[in-house]
Structure formats: structure tokens, C-alpha cells
Amino acid sequence: MPGLHLRTVDVGRRAGCSVQQVRNLERDGVLPPAARTGTGHRVYGEVHVRSALAYRALAVGVGPVEAKKIMRAAHRHPEPGVLALLDAAHARLDAERADLRRAQAAARAISGEPIAEVRPSDAMTVSELAAALGVRPSTLRHWDAEGLVVPDRDQPRGPRRYMPDQVRDARIVHQLRLAGYRIAQLRDLMPELRRARRWDDVSAALAAREAAVEARSRALLGGAAALSAVLDAHMPEP
């Protein structure tokens, strides 16, 4: 491997890692194996620095597990396999963006729906609402248990009755779940939405998620550029 002249500490400084992190990355296959001096000391080159930088950016974009998988492929497999992994990562981010756009449009429309004077006949049963949303009744019961969408009951164990405002809550939860929101996130968000009843609250939450996707997308772009340099370093000399 040409250009070997760097110590472990040198790689760490240039890549923003500790000495132990550099060793861990080499152990995990994120960095190619270091050469050894006659006395057993590791010696690194530019490809190791580039690999560490690529991994750090990719870890932000796709998570550390997938980033390690990509870096191992870069060192061990033909280039098409690495490109396929990158294409799949970009496709997942694109799908997240599409889900967010749908959730933003749906939540905006749902939150703006006026609720007229409520009549008892406007209530929906758990089966009716589940059919309208395209989910299982057990899903609505789970949302009830988690405090996301709490229906009315005449008695503690009586049948669930969903009034129009609760139906709207269920529609919002359904759309946000499709957009990737976890139950724990919605458990914190829905009480605020029930109090405020404003689109701004939903919009702010979705905007935060959109910003996170943007940050991951930019990190993936930077990681791909750094990865290209790693692949070039592995190319045989003409």
C-alpha cells in the first residue's frame, strides 16, 4: 500500500477520532488493515484517513451499522456492490421525503377541518373507525392505551365511541405513523395538539423531522465524495 507514513495518532487527528477509535475502526473493517513496522507498530496511509472521514459522514447519513457495511464493501468487494448500497441509502431518504410530504399535506388538511356542533349520532365505533383508516381495531386500542387517541366511554369498560375531534386525532396519528413517527414521540406530541388544535404544532414537528432528513442527506453526499476517494485509492496503478 503506497504512501504509508502515518501513525495512529496522525490518522486520529486528521479524521477527528481518538487513537482508540482508529483502532476500533480498523478492527471493524472500516479501515483497511494497517501495515506493521519491524517492531510491530501500525503504519497508516492516506487511504486510512479517507476511510475514517468517509465513515464518519456516512454514519450521520445512514447510521453506524450501515456505514460500516458500506466501508467493508469498499475495501473487499467490486465497486458495483458499493454503489448499490449507496443507491439504496439514497432511495430510503427519498422515500422518507415522500412520506413527509404526504404527512404534511394530510395533517394540514385534517387539522384545518372545522368541527360543527357534535351530535351523539356522529360517533364512530372502534370497528368503523378502523375500517375508515385501514388499520386493525387492535391498533386503535393500542393508541388508546398509549394516550394518543382516547375515545369516550359511558362506563370504564364500555364500548369505545369516537367523536369527530377524536376521529381527527386518529387521522393525524395515522398519518404521522406512516411518516415514521414512533409511539413515544407521538405520546409527547398528541397532548399538545389536543390542547392547541393548531396546524403550527404539527407543522413544527414535521419541519424538525424534515431538517433531520436534510442533514442526513447532506452527510450522505459528503460521505459518498469521501468514499469515491477511498475507491480511487484502491484502484491499481496503470
Side-chain angles (χ1 to χ4, degrees):
M1 188 178 296
L4 294 173
H5 63 279
L6 300 176
R7 301 168 299 167
T8 308
V9 67
D10 298 324
V11 176
R13 285 171 180 165
R14 291 179 58 179
C17 304
S18 69
V19 168
Q20 187 59 51
Q21 285 173 326
V22 173
R23 291 171 179 164
N24 291 344
L25 292 178
E26 182 186 353
R27 178 201 64 198
D28 294 339
V30 172
L31 309 185
R36 296 275 183 165
T37 66
T39 55
H41 293 93
R42 291 178 172 87
V43 184
Y44 298 92
E46 288 298 320
V47 68
H48 296 95
V49 176
R50 293 171 182 174
S51 296
L53 291 171
Y55 168 75
R56 294 194 65 191
L58 290 170
V60 175
V62 299
V65 174
E66 186 67 16
K68 288 179 181 179
K69 182 178 179 181
I70 293 172
M71 294 308 302
R72 292 188 193 110
H75 298 313
R76 299 175 185 173
H77 301 294
E79 186 173 297
V82 181
L83 299 180
L85 291 172
L86 283 174
D87 288 345
H90 283 292
R92 287 192 296 272
L93 280 171
D94 184 63
E96 285 191 46
R97 290 179 187 276
D99 287 341
L100 275 169
R101 287 193 295 269
R102 285 192 292 268
Q104 287 169 333
R108 184 183 293 110
I110 293 167
S111 296
E113 291 177 353
I115 294 181
E117 183 178 352
V118 177
R119 300 166 298 179
S121 59
D122 293 327
M124 299 179 72
T125 66
V126 64
S127 297
E128 290 171 339
L129 182 55
L133 293 176
V135 301
R136 296 180 179 180
S138 60
T139 298
L140 290 175
R141 297 188 186 101
H142 180 54
W143 293 352
D144 182 6
E146 294 289 347
L148 305 182
V149 184
V150 181
D152 291 343
R153 291 190 179 195
D154 293 330
Q155 300 175 2
R157 294 186 177 275
R160 294 173 172 85
R161 293 185 302 110
Y162 291 87
M163 305 308 289
D165 58 340
Q166 295 153 356
V167 171
R168 182 172 60 180
D169 286 350
R171 292 174 66 188
I172 292 175
V173 168
H174 182 49
Q175 290 299 326
L176 294 181
R177 286 288 287 159
L178 290 176
Y181 276 80
R182 298 187 297 274
I183 292 294
Q185 293 173 305
L186 292 173
R187 197 186 299 126
D188 295 332
L189 176 62
M190 289 309 296
E192 298 178 12
L193 298 183
R194 276 194 289 271
R195 287 193 297 270
R197 292 300 187 191
R198 296 182 308 174
W199 157 246
D200 289 347
D201 299 293
V202 185
S203 179
L206 291 175
R209 186 173 181 84
E210 187 173 31
V213 172
E214 290 286 346
R216 289 166 53 205
S217 183
R218 180 168 288 278
L220 185 56
L221 179 64
L227 186 62
S228 179
V230 173
L231 295 175
D232 288 344
H234 283 312
M235 292 290 290
E237 294 291 337

